[in-house]
Amino acid sequence: MRESKLRRPRLSGSVIDRTWLFDRPVVPMPDPDGTPGTASEPTDTVVTLVSAPPGAGKTTLLARWARHRTALGEAVAWLTLDREDNDRALFWTGLFGAVQTAIASSGADPVVPSDQAPDEPRRPRLVEFDRLLAAARTPVWLLLDDVQELRSPEVLADLEALLGQLPDGLHPVLASRRDPVLGLHRLRLSGRLREIRVGDLALDREEVRRVLAHHGVVLGETELSTVVDRTEGWAAGVRMAALALAGAEDPHGVVREFAGDDRAVADYLAAEVLARLGEREHRLLRSCAVPEQLTPELAVALTEDPSATDLLEDLYRDNVLVVRLGTPGGWYRIHPLLRGYLVAEMRRSDPGALAAAHRRTATWFAEHGESAWAVDHAVRSGDDELAVELLTATGPRLLADGRAGALHTVIGTGTEAVRADSGVRRLDDLARLELGESTGVPAPRRPVHDSLPAAPEPADGTDPGAEEPLDALVALHHARHDLAASAAALAASAAARPEGDGDLALLVGLNRGIVLLMTGRLDEAEVELADAAALAVRSGNAYAALRAGAYRTALVAARGQFRQVWALAQETITRGRETGLLGTLEIAGTMLLAAHSARQQLQAPVARGLAQQAAALMDGAGDLDTLLSSRALLALLDVEDGADPLEGCRRLRAVWDAAGGQSLSAPLVVHLAVNEHRCAWLAGRLDWAREAQARLEPLGPVGEAAVLATTEHLARGRWEAARHRLAPVLDGSTPCLMPLGLQQARLLEALLAEQAGQSARSLDALRTALQMGADSGALRVFLDVPGVDRLLDDNADRFGRLDGVAGQIRAAARGRADHAVVPITPRELTVLTDLPAQLTLEEIAARHQVSVNTVKTHVRSIYQKLGAANRRDAVATARRWGLL
């Protein structure tokens, strides 16, 4: 026997240690009655199987474990098996030799086995082996490498007998490229088998990074992801990538080109993987290398061999770099590097077969509903007719599934003839429009980019292609960027709406709902979005259902129904979690709406958490309205938590700058302007407050503009002007765009009535506002109007069934963090108007019939709020800000 077979391999400079895998407890399989097994301690599990493909790191793992046990003073026997060990005599000679060497190395007296013919019964062999082990003073680890070389039934039976009747103190470890034909199931049932498989040996992202760094290679995150994806943590692949990259002048190019046809990779795969396979296995791998994933049925279609089903499972079990993604009969995947090698081999030797494989794969995927894979393989097949057929048939499904990027990419890889087809061109237009806008909630209204296709030109008031659903969809997309085109787009899409429950009908209905929502036709939008959501559920389209749910949440938010916003948002987020779509921009937009809802319901910590999650999900992406709304909400929450209102106001003004002149939806304009106005007053920047009020002018005579003007008059003590400005809002002749505006108007009415001594009217107005808050969940507005908290305190326990809501608001008012900075009060403004007249404080006090101390208090407060050191500075600042 060659001594090299007993010699442990020398460890290279590997930086990855997997020996902890031997310390994992093993749980036996449950009893037939369902009673779970009890986990075994690591030392109780006496047999370990390491089964993985070549290059996975099996031998390195065993060598490290051998060194570890030797350092603990235990005997370690090593035997590298080969084909010669299918001879029983040589096999047993190797076992005895390995164990004898290990025992002698540990300091025990050598034991010489008796001469025994190889064909004698195996029982004496086992007894002799047991006698040999009895001489050991420590546990003995028997490490058998390359067990896949054992094929002799007699030798396998001997090894099975040894494993079934293990002598005390013996711990066998078997490393094999495939599971050996042994009765391992009995060991597995009893919890005496530790299994270490390819998934356990695969390197994770950080371990790949460490291996590359060990070779002097440092990659960026994108290039590192490419290496991880191409190698899937296969140790040999990672090492070959490291060797290819070490010292490379263009590491980015090496990473981009690193694949199965890399010289080192190809040589390794040919020698260590494919050379050991028969012609049938090799042929199946070649035929099945075209799709990234496949089922046994697709394997049969590609090979035209009914036995491909069993052969594919055999290749998986034999660890031939074939991964089973679920239970037997499900999906399989050939390792990317092996796929790359096989496809490159076909491209060189038989390009016609490669094209045919792509065609069969495309047809099979199309028949089984895998749209993205179907169109990709159709384009790769070079069959333009098939590519156009599948693109036009499955393109709408890809759009409805939220895979516009995949559709645009695959169209871009098609031939000129494919791209020139009118249907394909329109699908690409839609994909580009979808990518040009983000799909967060609410939808954007920015102008169409110059590189995008032009909107259909109307003729005689109608779109000439309006009868075509694809043209109608393009028109709807343009309308989402430019609401001036909404009427024509809605008319065209109504005429072109497809019948039935197809993907085009879903897309048209969903986009009609979005445009109707953006134009404020909320009732019609609700019908379209509800129908789209139901159609998405019927068709099993999780993404479309999620998107419809997100826009329905936005619709409810537009109605100011914050309690319902919370319920719908939770429903949409739950659907996203269940369908694996939690990281989408739709979810980010929905989380932001939920954050607004939480803020209105006086749950500031919840609002902040959701707003931060939404911002993290968007990470700078998303539609303009959603991005700006996110920034504004975080600024508001900071101010309400006690941050400097001047800084908060600067951040809100920066939101307008970030819009870059692009049009924003009316609800967002109102939200930003109202809150900028409030923060400007908190900061004492009344010039900024006027600018905020002016931002509402493009919306026309809306109630919110009147409400802001009323607050200005009220703050200056101009009571009659305030009543005059508020009256059209209260009688409905100047309606508010948002329900919050009308609620704020009722609160201002209460303050004005209280000032006029109309306590009954003031109480009625408060009750109306409280009822609106109780119904909708909009409570924050009570804290945003100065003086309302005092009115609630003065009328405590006078609101009947609304006392609970009033109490919740009063408690929040007492605990608010932004109460320290308040706008200049009406009394302070009255005193301020007398400062330019150079009246003494006593004269001002006599004029207003208050004490001198009261005037001094007002003056000190005025100086503090205006940042003035004296009367002259205060007057100058007040004039600059428009207070005088």
Side-chain angles (χ1 to χ4, degrees):
M1 182 184 65
R2 300 189 307 275
E3 290 187 5
S4 60
K5 296 182 55 159
L6 307 182
R7 190 179 306 127
R8 275 183 266 163
R10 187 174 63 180
L11 281 169
S12 62
S14 172
V15 295
I16 307 301
D17 186 358
R18 280 282 193 274
T19 53
W20 58 268
L21 292 168
F22 286 92
D23 294 327
R24 293 189 307 187
V26 178
V27 179
M29 295 182 67
D31 294 333
D33 63 359
T35 305
T38 304
S40 303
E41 293 299 323
T43 54
D44 295 333
T45 306
V46 291
V47 178
T48 299
L49 172 66
V50 183
S51 179
K58 302 182 296 299
T59 301
T60 299
L61 173 65
L62 264 62
R64 275 187 173 273
W65 185 245
R67 184 172 67 180
H68 173 62
R69 303 315 298 189
T70 300
L72 295 177
E74 297 177 351
V76 177
W78 183 285
L79 177 60
T80 300
L81 298 167
D82 55 33
R83 294 181 181 180
E84 293 180 355
D85 292 299
N86 286 292
D87 182 291
R88 289 183 71 194
L90 292 177
F91 172 72
W92 280 105
T93 299
L95 284 185
F96 276 105
V99 174
Q100 277 185 306
T101 301
I103 292 175
S105 299
S106 66
D109 296 330
V111 177
V112 180
S114 61
D115 293 333
Q116 193 173 28
D119 56 352
E120 291 184 7
R122 69 176 56 92
R123 181 62 187 170
R125 287 283 187 188
L126 295 176
V127 172
E128 187 73 15
F129 199 68
D130 193 26
R131 186 175 73 84
L132 177 62
L133 290 168
R137 297 172 182 173
T138 66
V140 176
W141 289 84
L142 176 59
L143 308 184
L144 302 179
D145 198 15
D146 286 338
V147 175
Q148 76 278 351
E149 298 293 345
L150 298 181
R151 299 177 182 273
S152 165
E154 292 79 8
V155 173
L156 288 169
D158 286 352
L159 180 57
E160 183 175 337
L162 174 62
L163 298 179
Q165 304 174 41
L166 280 175
D168 292 339
L170 180 64
H171 299 283
V173 179
L174 284 61
S176 178
R177 293 184 175 184
R178 63 180 64 89
D179 284 10
V181 186
L182 301 170
L184 298 177
H185 60 283
R186 287 186 287 271
L187 296 172
R188 189 178 291 115
L189 283 169
S190 63
R192 295 170 57 231
L193 178 67
R194 171 180 291 106
E195 299 180 76
I196 299 173
R197 298 196 172 271
V198 60
D200 302 312
L201 297 176
L203 307 183
D204 62 26
R205 184 183 184 87
E206 288 308 310
E207 288 169 334
V208 172
R209 192 196 305 273
R210 285 163 54 194
V211 171
L212 295 174
H214 181 70
H215 289 80
V217 177
V218 178
L219 297 178
E221 294 303 314
T222 301
E223 288 80 9
L224 179 63
S225 295
T226 300
V227 173
V228 172
D229 291 342
R230 297 268 176 88
T231 63
E232 293 188 344
W234 181 42
V238 174
R239 179 172 172 76
M240 285 184 278
L243 293 173
L245 286 163
E249 294 182 1
D250 180 17
H252 302 293
V254 172
V255 169
R256 187 173 56 251
E257 300 298 328
F258 182 72
D261 56 351
D262 177 87
R263 179 63 179 273
V265 177
D267 290 347
Y268 187 92
L269 292 172
E272 296 294 332
V273 178
L274 299 174
R276 299 169 182 267
L277 301 178
E279 177 58 30
R280 286 183 65 231
E281 290 88 350
H282 196 167
R283 187 168 59 249
L284 178 134
L285 285 174
R286 273 170 48 101
S287 301
C288 296
V290 167
E292 289 187 13
Q293 296 179 19
L294 75 160
T295 64
E297 293 78 13
L298 177 53
V300 170
L302 289 170
T303 62
E304 300 180 336
D305 180 359
S307 67
T309 297
D310 296 331
L311 195 55
L312 190 62
E313 177 68 13
D314 290 343
L315 289 171
Y316 157 71
R317 292 184 179 276
D318 288 344
N319 287 321
V320 188
L321 292 177
V322 174
V323 179
R324 191 176 70 198
L325 303 180
T327 56
W331 288 88
Y332 294 80
R333 185 183 69 247
I334 298 174
H335 192 283
L337 292 179
L338 180 55
R339 281 186 61 242
Y341 171 83
L342 294 167
V343 169
E345 184 183 55
M346 291 178 69
R347 187 178 295 114
R348 285 190 299 267
S349 62
D350 194 350
L354 179 60
H358 276 300
R359 281 195 297 272
R360 286 195 292 269
T361 301
T363 302
W364 192 91
F365 276 140
E367 291 172 351
H368 291 79
E370 299 292 346
S371 305
W373 286 340
V375 295
D376 180 57
H377 287 286
V379 170
R380 290 175 185 270
S381 72
D383 186 334
D384 290 350
E385 184 177 348
L386 177 64
V388 169
E389 177 187 346
L390 291 187
L391 279 168
T392 53
T394 63
R397 180 66 182 188
L398 293 175
L399 291 171
D401 282 345
R403 290 183 284 178
L407 178 61
H408 176 57
T409 298
V410 75
I411 291 175
T413 61
T415 65
E416 185 177 349
V418 170
R419 297 195 305 272
D421 178 82
S422 60
V424 173
R425 228 178 24 248
R426 263 313 185 223
L427 286 169
D428 197 32
D429 288 347
L430 285 167
R432 293 168 66 201
L433 282 166
E434 192 69 38
L435 294 171
E437 67 174 66
S438 297
T439 53
V441 180
R445 291 182 57 188
R446 56 186 183 227
V448 178
H449 192 276
D450 291 341
S451 66
L452 295 176
E457 292 292 332
D460 300 326
T462 61
D463 177 2
E467 70 278 9
E468 296 295 334
L470 290 178
D471 290 313
L473 277 171
V474 171
L476 287 169
H477 271 283
H478 281 292
R480 291 169 59 182
H481 291 289
D482 180 9
L483 291 184
S486 61
L490 289 169
S493 58
R497 183 194 294 269
E499 297 181 358
D501 288 355
D503 295 309
L504 279 175
L506 173 58
L507 286 168
V508 170
L510 179 59
N511 281 278
R512 279 179 56 82
I514 294 170
V515 173
L516 288 165
L517 169 62
M518 295 179 68
T519 54
R521 295 161 64 175
L522 301 186
D523 292 342
E524 297 170 83
E526 183 176 22
V527 173
E528 292 284 4
L529 291 173
D531 289 347
L535 177 52
V537 171
R538 286 198 304 273
S539 62
N541 192 320
Y543 175 76
L546 182 76
R547 199 174 182 193
Y551 279 103
R552 291 176 70 195
T553 306
L555 185 148
V556 174
R559 287 175 168 161
Q561 297 296 323
F562 293 103
R563 296 191 194 282
Q564 195 174 352
V565 166
W566 183 261
L568 279 176
Q570 293 303 307
E571 179 183 321
T572 302
I573 293 169
T574 299
R575 180 182 289 116
R577 183 180 297 110
E578 292 172 348
T579 56
L581 296 171
L582 201 56
T584 61
L585 292 176
E586 284 76 16
I587 289 294
T590 302
M591 281 184 173
L592 187 61
L593 290 171
H596 281 290
S597 171
R599 174 180 174 269
Q600 285 296 332
Q601 297 181 73
L602 305 179
Q603 300 294 326
V606 176
R608 179 175 294 280
L610 286 167
Q612 290 172 340
Q613 288 184 61
L617 277 178
M618 289 185 288
D619 191 25
D623 70 84
L624 188 62
D625 277 25
T626 306
L627 285 171
L628 299 186
S629 179
S630 171
R631 296 177 191 175
L633 178 58
L634 287 170
L636 279 176
L637 290 170
D638 285 345
V639 171
E640 290 162 8
D641 280 347
D644 182 3
L646 184 62
E647 176 60 26
C649 197
R650 289 195 182 102
R651 289 167 63 185
L652 287 172
R653 290 170 64 82
V655 168
W656 293 104
D657 295 337
Q662 300 181 65
S663 60
L664 305 176
S665 63
L668 180 59
V669 170
V670 169
H671 172 72
L672 292 176
V674 168
N675 284 287
E676 182 189 1
H677 184 272
R678 182 171 70 88
C679 285
W681 270 89
L682 287 173
R685 291 300 304 265
L686 303 191
D687 53 335
W688 287 359
R690 285 199 306 275
E691 290 180 24
Q693 189 173 349
R695 300 189 198 277
L696 295 176
E697 292 176 0
L699 301 179
V702 295
E704 282 81 3
V707 167
L708 293 189
T710 301
T711 61
E712 296 265 356
H713 292 312
L714 192 62
R716 290 180 170 84
R718 302 169 183 167
W719 310 108
E720 288 307 317
R723 292 187 182 93
H724 176 76
R725 197 71 176 86
L726 189 63
V729 178
L730 297 177
D731 65 21
S733 57
T734 304
C736 292
L737 287 179
M738 307 294 290
L740 279 176
L742 180 57
Q743 192 177 8
Q744 187 173 356
R746 292 300 179 189
L747 293 175
L748 293 173
E749 178 189 14
L751 290 170
L752 288 169
E754 188 259 352
Q755 188 276 335
Q758 301 170 343
S759 55
R761 181 179 177 183
S762 176
L763 184 60
D764 284 344
L766 271 179
R767 283 176 176 155
T768 300
L770 283 170
Q771 186 63 61
M772 294 172 71
D775 293 341
S776 67
L779 306 182
R780 174 70 212 187
V781 65
F782 288 84
L783 306 186
D784 293 343
V785 179
V788 169
D789 53 348
R790 177 184 54 78
L791 275 184
L792 291 174
D793 287 338
D794 292 345
N795 290 279
D797 302 324
R798 297 183 63 189
F799 300 108
R801 58 187 179 83
L802 296 173
D803 278 340
V805 177
Q808 183 182 355
I809 297 168
R810 292 171 61 211
R814 289 192 294 270
R816 65 191 298 186
D818 59 341
H819 67 282
V821 184
V822 295
I824 294 177
T825 66
R827 294 292 185 186
E828 291 167 353
L829 276 172
T830 302
V831 172
L832 178 62
T833 59
D834 288 332
L835 294 183
Q838 298 299 316
L839 297 173
T840 66
L841 298 184
E842 290 76 7
E843 290 171 333
I844 294 174
R847 185 174 184 179
H848 297 288
Q849 298 182 347
V850 296
S851 69
V852 174
N853 286 336
T854 298
V855 173
K856 289 180 178 179
T857 299
H858 288 328
V859 170
R860 281 196 300 269
S861 178
I862 291 169
Y863 287 0
Q864 179 183 6
K865 292 177 180 179
L866 297 183
N870 51 50
R871 180 184 288 206
R872 177 180 296 176
D873 289 346
V875 171
T877 301
R879 283 175 172 160
R880 188 169 64 251
W881 288 3
L883 296 175
L884 294 174

